[in-house]
């Protein structure tokens, strides 16, 4: 999945984003909740099939947007820029995680 020089191929980038989306628990919860709302007792089999097909196409489109924008951005900012962006994104995630922990711990004393 990597090209010469360690750069990811378009297929590799696409598969990485598909994998990241597949392991995201909120995505699973979202689709299960919508699936339950779409299906009702009197529906034919066409409604769930159309829902799954539309969800699959929407997911495919989103993955293509992510992979394409990532490839274009990587070319524009270079390897050093990618490292800086990765470090900044990691810092944001850590800060958000700390915020969630602090608010969660603060909630224990409120009861």
């Amino acid at each position: 999945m990597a090209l010469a020089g360690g750069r990811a191929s378009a297929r590799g980038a696409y598969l990485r984003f598909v994998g990241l989306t597949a392991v995201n628990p909120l995505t699973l919860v979202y689709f299960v909740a919508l699936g339950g709302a779409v299906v009702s007792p009197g529906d034919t089999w066409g409604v769930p099939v159309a829902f799954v097909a539309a969800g699959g196409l929407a997911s495919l489109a989103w993955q293509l947007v992510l992979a394409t924008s990532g490839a274009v951005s990587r070319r524009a900012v270079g390897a050093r820029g990618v490292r800086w962006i990765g470090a900044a994104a990691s810092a944001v995630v850590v800060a958000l995680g700390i915020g969630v922990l602090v608010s969660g711990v603060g909630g224990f004393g409120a009861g």
Side-chain angles (χ1 to χ4, degrees):
M1 283 191 215
L3 299 175
R7 290 186 42 209
S9 67
R11 180 175 183 231
Y14 175 76
L15 291 174
R16 183 177 11 195
F17 280 112
V18 168
L20 288 171
T21 300
V23 299
N24 182 354
L26 289 179
T27 302
L28 179 62
V29 169
Y30 177 77
F31 277 108
V32 167
L34 283 178
V38 168
V39 178
S40 60
D43 285 341
T44 65
W45 61 270
V47 173
V49 169
F51 173 76
V52 169
L57 287 173
S59 181
L60 174 64
W62 179 240
Q63 300 306 322
L64 289 173
V65 166
L66 289 175
T68 302
S69 63
V72 170
S73 298
R74 182 178 179 86
R75 285 191 196 106
V77 299
R80 186 172 183 191
V82 168
R83 282 192 300 274
W84 276 99
I85 291 169
S90 297
V92 168
V93 169
V94 168
L96 291 171
I98 290 170
V100 168
L101 286 173
V102 167
S103 67
V105 169
F108 285 119

